[in-house]
Amino acid sequence: MSAGTIPRLAPEPPAATLRMHSSRPPAARARGPVLAPELALRNLVAALSLALVASFGVVGAAAAVQTSTAKVVIVVGATHGATAGYRANADAAYSEAIKYTSNVTKVYSPNATWSKVKAAAKGANVLIYFGHGNGWPSPYTFDPNYTTKDGMGLNADLNGDGKLSDYENKYYGEPYMAQLALAPNAIVMLHNLCYASGNSEPGGAAPSVSVAHQRIDNYAAGFLKGGARAVLADGHMGPPWYLHGIFTTGQTVLDLWRDAPNYHSHESTFASTRSPGYTAYSDPDDTTSSFYRSLVVKPGLTTTAISRAVGDTGLDPASLVVPGRASVVTPEAPLLASATPAAGEPALLALAAGTRLKTVATAVAASPAGPAIIQVTGLDNSSIAGYVSAADLAPRDSRAPVLIAIDSGIGRFSPNGDGRFEEQAVTGIFSEVVAWTVEFKDAGGTVLDTTTGSGQTFSVTWDGLVNGIAVADGSYTWTARGIDAWQNGVATGGGTVTVDTIGPSVSALTPDGTTVSVFSPNGDAVSDTVATTVSVPEAGSIVAWVSDASNATVRSWTSTSVAGNHVLTWDGRATGGAYVPDGEYLLRFTARDRTGNGGTGKVRPVRVIGYLRGVAASAKIFYPHDLDRFAPTTTLSFGLAKPATVTWTIRNSANEVVITHLADAALGAGTQTWVWDGTTAEGALLPRGLYTSHVSATDGSLAIAQSVKVEMNAFAIATSTATPRRGHSLTVTVTSAEALKGNVRLYVKQPGLTTWAVTMTRVDSRTQRVTITLKSGGSAGTMSLKAWALDYDGRSQATSRSMPLS
């Protein structure tokens, strides 16, 4: 499969943006002052930079120094002519990653074999892949084991010449990715490949939303089995911006993905089927198409958990850490004034067992003559300062805690008393037990709410009230801080939450409420549904319901939405599944935001008329003009569910009535048929061309008209575009009225050029197709396509079609 998109380098990373969140256990709680109304909270910029010393486990956004031990592996698979561009993109990722960690490994084509990639990826915290993507669903053969699907296209000696190249790739699918053995909390980043984010191959059929979501879910499954906790796919933007965020911020991976410069606000969410417990996110370029951004993640995963790969930071080390923490284990251990005291020099203090100390430096190294001498200060008593024998000390927790996971749900709530989303909960997990504080602040930095507690987890809920009054709509920052018992440093993180109490209104309906649309829901596949395009200004949901002439609701449903246009369809059925009676109805639509607030809706009238059904033709193309035994007639028909007055006509391509079969005829319920041979009432054969069987009916109160098109011709010719261009491809589909002896020959006459011909390919017994490239040159004018073949009895058949050529 070819690469998904032309590689594009990411823009320079902006300042780190944080969005994190927490909830309220029984704990100390403080209220801030009432929020002043003049504060411009709606314009709050959600940019909270973390600037902590390296020992605290988080690096400031402005720092570009190697302060992480995280392992980054960058893979470029064999991608034919695109490989060189991908190597350049991978080098840009390397240049960004090496700023923060020295543990960066390149595995590039032509040396990116499976054995080398597998060995390099073991224990990786960040795995980046550029190359071919082969996902599922796709146009190719299904493999229930995904052996070649949803993985990497890597180098392999396919032709047996003993050499590797950018032009020989083998697909290693899900079972292989499950063997990667990545580090805990690892992220896999898939860039510019097909299928991973839901997209298709270049030139391939665009996927439906359902197919795109299946592709996203499937592509992540193997990597998650291989130890990843997040799989990010971006078909347009490269890794540098994401790497900058991973190593310089303390936010959730989800918020990092949402903060990217190419976020389109077309987000949809669904629970992973392939990887239970994971959530998948899609952000297509358009509302429901161009699927080039996705994320599958375990909720709450933070950038810090990736870049600061830690286990339980509260464990005591096996040996003394200097600088670090220690406790006295010998009763009355001497605290000396110098590392090499004079003979008989008294100790400054006798330290009791259990005294907690900071180890500052190794003053005298251990030797056969004695243990090391350690410079110390008191952890709980600042007056303690001196030197202690290492033999009198036990190593204690010397690592700073890390905030490894946070979650705030949708990060949006509505404290307006309507009972929906009244509070905002934020939760988090630290790498060890800490004393923690969670604060919510306004745009000016004023603390509005504080909660404290202790433990490895926190759960805080903010009700959005200050002195009992709800704060104004807008964005608010929150921070979580945790310090462990040995005071090794502060773990911190945070983000933004949005207060939203005002609901959106439906922007527009298409068709709008000025016209009455008529449809016929009766199961005959003709006008069985009515569609409405509903425009909404923000993400949330659209509530739709149908009311009858007495204003009783007969059907209602809710559809999730993003900002933009959504097509909602009613099939004419009531809540119980039965078709509603014929009559007048109102379709009503209102929008709700993600916190359940609703605004002003819009209404459009529709008319249900289901008693006329089954307006059909047994053959959509027939050919009586050659007077042979093949396709001389078509059977036209319709049905009535109750008595009605009917007019039945045949109209030509100019919509002129050429035959009136029934005129205001009173008919009973039942089916009406007419075998039409292409002649008028007087028996004259009509010219070849396109005709319409048109039926209009009224039951005395409700009138409806339906029609079906038929063509009298040897062939019906359809093209992929009505405006073909010289030098461009054109797909021509020909449907024959009669059974043929062989394949159709298509003659192409371009103005100013000699006529040329191609043989078409059979699709089925009546359909043939070919894709041609129109020749360059010639003159302006009209192009002619002529389909010719012999019928089953050997008689010549031909039809021509003309169209403008540009």
Side-chain angles (χ1 to χ4, degrees):
M1 269 72 346
S2 60
T5 56
I6 297 173
R8 289 195 286 170
L9 291 177
E12 287 294 319
T17 302
L18 301 181
R19 285 199 241 155
M20 298 179 227
H21 314 241
S22 118
S23 41
R24 173 194 308 160
R29 193 168 182 78
R31 290 286 185 188
V34 177
L35 192 67
E38 62 271 16
L39 292 177
L41 296 176
R42 295 180 185 274
N43 299 321
L44 176 64
V45 177
L48 179 62
S49 177
L50 303 180
L52 303 177
V53 296
S55 62
F56 289 177
V58 181
V59 183
V65 293
Q66 293 178 345
T67 54
S68 172
T69 59
K71 180 179 181 180
V72 178
V73 176
I74 308 172
V75 178
V76 177
T79 328
H80 302 82
T83 313
Y86 284 165
R87 280 191 288 261
N89 284 3
D91 284 343
Y94 177 88
S95 297
E96 186 67 26
I98 203 68
K99 297 175 184 178
Y100 315 110
T101 175
S102 61
N103 195 1
V104 185
T105 301
K106 299 180 182 180
V107 190
Y108 289 4
S109 176
N111 301 309
T113 62
W114 165 242
S115 60
K116 290 182 179 179
V117 169
K118 180 182 177 182
K122 185 177 182 180
N125 305 100
V126 180
L127 175 64
I128 300 170
Y129 169 65
F130 289 92
H132 278 312
N134 181 16
W136 185 260
S138 74
Y140 307 100
T141 303
F142 175 62
D143 172 9
N145 297 318
Y146 301 94
T147 307
T148 61
K149 302 290 195 299
D150 305 316
M152 301 181 185
L154 303 176
N155 296 106
D157 181 14
L158 300 181
N159 59 15
D161 64 356
K163 300 178 182 178
L164 299 172
S165 78
D166 293 342
Y167 291 84
E168 291 179 274
N169 74 295
K170 178 179 178 180
Y171 290 112
Y172 294 86
E174 183 177 317
Y176 295 93
M177 300 305 101
Q179 303 172 37
L180 288 172
L182 302 171
N185 298 320
I187 184 171
V188 172
M189 297 164 59
L190 307 172
H191 289 274
N192 300 95
L193 58 151
C194 301
Y195 298 102
S197 56
N199 58 320
S200 297
E201 298 172 53
S208 65
V209 173
S210 174
V211 167
H213 286 185
Q214 290 178 64
R215 289 174 176 175
I216 292 167
D217 198 12
N218 287 333
Y219 222 110
F223 294 102
L224 297 176
K225 291 177 181 178
R229 198 172 177 183
V231 178
L232 185 155
D234 196 320
H236 290 323
M237 195 175 81
W241 188 90
Y242 293 111
L243 287 169
H244 177 84
I246 288 170
F247 285 99
T248 65
T249 71
Q251 60 183 314
T252 63
V253 172
L254 175 58
D255 284 338
L256 175 74
W257 179 78
R258 285 172 171 164
D259 287 341
N262 62 342
Y263 183 70
H264 301 103
S265 297
H266 296 148
E267 181 182 319
S268 62
T269 305
F270 59 97
S272 171
T273 300
R274 296 293 316 283
S275 306
Y278 284 80
T279 302
Y281 301 84
S282 176
D283 175 38
D285 293 2
D286 302 308
T287 307
T288 56
S289 63
S290 299
F291 297 90
Y292 290 105
R293 297 191 73 246
S294 68
L295 175 68
V296 181
V297 66
K298 180 77 79 169
L301 178 67
T302 65
T303 55
T304 308
I306 299 170
S307 61
R308 300 292 160 194
V310 296
D312 184 349
T313 57
L315 298 177
D316 292 336
S319 58
L320 206 61
V321 176
V322 181
R325 303 292 186 264
S327 67
V328 175
V329 294
T330 303
E332 298 186 351
L335 176 69
L336 305 175
S338 66
T340 55
E345 181 179 334
L348 294 175
L349 292 171
L351 300 177
T355 301
R356 304 199 313 163
L357 302 172
K358 299 179 183 178
T359 60
V360 178
T362 301
V364 177
S367 68
I373 303 300
I374 306 299
Q375 182 183 1
V376 301
T377 59
L379 183 65
D380 305 309
N381 185 347
S382 60
S383 66
I384 296 175
Y387 299 85
V388 177
S389 169
D392 294 329
L393 301 176
R396 299 302 182 204
D397 172 16
S398 298
R399 291 198 294 168
V402 174
L403 182 55
I404 60 174
I406 53 177
D407 190 17
S408 63
I410 64 171
R412 181 179 292 265
F413 70 119
S414 179
N416 58 6
D418 65 0
R420 293 189 293 260
F421 294 89
E422 294 291 334
E423 296 179 322
Q424 174 63 57
V426 292
T427 61
I429 303 172
F430 290 96
S431 57
E432 61 178 292
V433 173
V434 297
W436 54 261
T437 300
V438 174
E439 293 178 336
F440 291 85
K441 299 179 181 179
D442 64 19
T446 301
V447 176
L448 307 176
D449 189 275
T450 301
T451 304
T452 60
S454 63
Q456 191 172 355
T457 64
F458 65 86
S459 181
V460 173
T461 300
W462 183 36
D463 59 12
L465 305 179
V466 176
N467 293 337
I469 300 174
V471 297
D473 282 14
S475 295
Y476 296 80
T477 59
W478 69 274
T479 56
R481 300 186 302 274
I483 184 168
D484 66 2
W486 287 90
Q487 301 173 28
N488 287 296
V490 179
T492 187
T496 63
V497 295
T498 300
V499 173
D500 181 5
T501 61
I502 301 174
S505 297
V506 174
S507 307
L509 294 184
T510 307
D512 61 21
T514 60
T515 58
V516 178
S517 298
V518 178
F519 76 117
S520 178
N522 51 27
D524 66 353
V526 178
S527 299
D528 270 341
T529 61
V530 61
T532 308
T533 300
V534 184
S535 303
V536 293
E538 63 179 275
S541 61
I542 299 172
V543 180
W545 70 100
V546 185
S547 58
D548 61 17
S550 67
N551 205 34
T553 299
V554 298
R555 178 81 176 273
S556 64
W557 68 96
T558 300
S559 175
T560 58
S561 63
V562 296
N565 297 330
H566 299 264
V567 178
L568 275 67
T569 301
W570 181 40
D571 60 3
R573 297 179 187 268
T575 301
Y579 288 115
V580 299
D582 289 359
E584 308 289 340
Y585 293 85
L586 291 177
L587 291 177
R588 304 174 186 270
F589 303 94
T590 60
R592 292 191 182 278
D593 61 23
R594 285 176 286 178
T595 58
N597 301 308
T600 303
K602 290 187 180 295
V603 179
R604 65 169 292 206
V606 295
R607 182 175 297 137
V608 172
I609 305 177
Y611 65 81
L612 174 63
R613 59 191 175 200
V615 177
S618 63
K620 295 295 181 65
I621 177 171
F622 70 114
Y623 189 45
H625 294 75
D626 59 357
L627 305 177
D628 64 11
R629 64 192 179 102
F630 299 116
T633 64
T634 183
T635 300
L636 307 175
S637 61
F638 69 88
L640 293 174
K642 60 182 178 180
T645 300
V646 176
T647 296
W648 193 358
T649 61
I650 301 293
R651 302 183 180 188
N652 61 19
S653 58
N655 203 33
E656 299 168 335
V657 175
V658 293
I659 306 173
T660 299
H661 185 64
L662 295 175
D664 294 329
L667 302 178
T671 301
Q672 303 290 324
T673 61
W674 173 21
V675 179
W676 184 44
D677 59 4
T679 63
T680 66
E682 293 77 22
L685 185 63
L686 290 166
R688 297 197 295 180
L690 193 64
Y691 293 86
T692 300
S693 170
H694 187 274
V695 180
S696 60
T698 178
D699 65 354
S701 60
L702 296 174
I704 187 171
Q706 290 185 6
S707 60
V708 62
K709 292 185 181 299
V710 295
E711 184 163 358
M712 284 201 297
N713 235 325
F715 301 100
I717 301 175
T719 57
S720 56
T721 177
T723 56
R725 298 174 60 189
R726 294 178 180 84
H728 289 246
S729 63
L730 179 70
T731 299
V732 182
T733 302
V734 168
T735 303
S736 63
E738 303 183 359
L740 303 179
K741 179 165 286 189
N743 284 18
V744 175
R745 189 76 170 159
L746 181 70
Y747 293 86
V748 184
K749 185 176 182 180
Q750 297 180 224
L753 298 177
T754 302
T755 299
W756 51 283
V758 293
T759 300
M760 304 189 74
T761 301
R762 185 181 297 272
V763 177
D764 56 39
S765 62
R766 285 288 192 271
T767 307
Q768 299 194 25
R769 182 175 295 129
V770 69
T771 298
I772 58 176
T773 299
L774 298 176
K775 294 181 179 180
S776 301
S779 58
T782 300
M783 177 182 73
S784 174
L785 298 174
K786 177 181 178 181
W788 175 90
L790 296 176
D791 70 13
Y792 196 74
D793 287 344
R795 284 180 291 271
S796 178
Q797 308 280 305
T799 297
S800 296
R801 177 183 172 185
S802 297
M803 53 199 314
L805 180 65
S806 59

